[in-house]
Each structure stands twice: as structure tokens, then as C-alpha cells.
Amino acid sequence: MRNDSRLSRMLHVLIHMDRHKGAATSDMIANMLNTNPVVVRRTMAGLRDQGYVRSEKGRGGGWTLARKLEDISLLDIHQALGAPPIFAIGLTEDHPECLVEQAVNSALTDAFKEAEAVLVARFAGVTLADLARDFDQRFEQISKCR
């Protein structure tokens, strides 16, 4: 099963957009992500619908942030992307009448719910500004080493 990397990729894009002067075109973003501009437009549309980015058509158009990084959490972007499943591990339902399968699925379901609640709470507590500050610190450390 493939990993869903949209959250990571969109967080990356949004921080770059914050640092970029002017609008970022779908082509620019697609180049950055090594994907197709149509995929970028489709994905960014979900962020636009939730008010995190704006889009302008035509010459000089593109995508810009609609909110400050401080006002956007990881959870906000996760939800704007449709809240994809956090875990790729799934339950088996080959023999729903089997009591062993029922016991296993019950235990796994409870564990998944607990783990997801912890992760979602963490997502809610981290803003894109936190990520940008982390980048700035890493960049400063590299610059000092040169």
C-alpha cells in the first residue's frame, strides 16, 4: 500500500509559498513536487475551499496564502485534504463470525482510536509557523558551518 504523502507535501508547499514573493503558479509547485499541475490544482482547491490559500487566474496569477502561518495548524491542513486515514494498517474481515477475528479487531480498533486521538491532538498543537521556525533554525545552523 502506498503512503499518502499529501499532508507532508502540502505543508512543504505552504511554507515555501510564505517565503516566495508573489503568487506561486501550479507549474512552479508541480515542479517542486515532481508532479503534474493538474494534481496541484486539485489538491490546492481543497485548501482554497477551506480558506487557507487563494488563487488568481491569468497572467501573474497563481496561489497565495490566505492566512498567516501562525493561524494554520497541521490538523487544519490534514482536514482540508479530506482527513485521509492516518494508519495504513487495516483490520481483516474475512471471517466476521470468528470469535478470534472479533477479539483481534476489537483490540486493534481500540488501539488505533487511541493512537489517532494522540496524533490528531498533536497536529492541532503545531502550526505552520512552528515548522517555519524549525526550518529557520536548521538553515541558520548550516550557514554557521560554512
Side-chain angles (χ1 to χ4, degrees), residues 90-112:
L91 305 176
T92 183
E93 296 180 345
D94 297 336
H95 304 285
E97 70 287 346
C98 176
L99 299 179
V100 172
E101 183 174 291
Q102 291 173 19
V104 168
N105 286 350
S106 176
L108 290 176
T109 298
D110 290 347
F112 293 156

Side-chain angles (χ1 to χ4, degrees), residues 30-141:
N31 240 356
M32 182 189 324
L33 300 176
N34 196 27
T35 192
N36 188 295
V38 173
V39 173
V40 169
R41 285 189 285 276
R42 189 178 321 127
T43 305
M44 295 293 280
L47 302 181
R48 181 192 55 220
D49 294 346
Q50 297 300 313
Y52 301 115
V53 297
R54 289 186 205 92
S55 63
E56 294 291 328
K57 294 182 181 181
R59 189 164 180 83
W63 300 95
T64 56
L65 290 174
R67 296 189 190 178
K68 294 179 181 179
L69 295 183
E70 294 84 6
D71 299 331
I72 306 171
S73 72
L74 274 62
L75 181 59
D76 293 331
I77 302 306
H78 173 70
Q79 290 173 335
L81 294 171
I86 292 179
F87 300 111
I89 301 169
L91 305 176
T92 183
E93 296 180 345
D94 297 336
H95 304 285
E97 70 287 346
C98 176
L99 299 179
V100 172
E101 183 174 291
Q102 291 173 19
V104 168
N105 286 350
S106 176
L108 290 176
T109 298
D110 290 347
F112 293 156
K113 284 181 182 178
E114 279 183 45
E116 186 169 351
V118 169
L119 191 56
V120 165
R122 177 79 171 122
F123 280 2
V126 178
T127 68
L128 272 66
D130 296 327
L131 301 181
R133 276 190 294 277
D134 183 28
F135 161 75
D136 290 337
Q137 290 171 350
R138 292 170 189 269
F139 186 77
E140 186 178 315
Q141 289 300 318

Side-chain angles (χ1 to χ4, degrees), residues 5-17:
S5 60
R6 288 178 300 158
L7 177 61
S8 176
R9 293 167 69 103
M10 286 301 103
L11 295 171
H12 184 139
V13 165
L14 294 171
I15 292 170
H16 273 290
M17 287 173 58

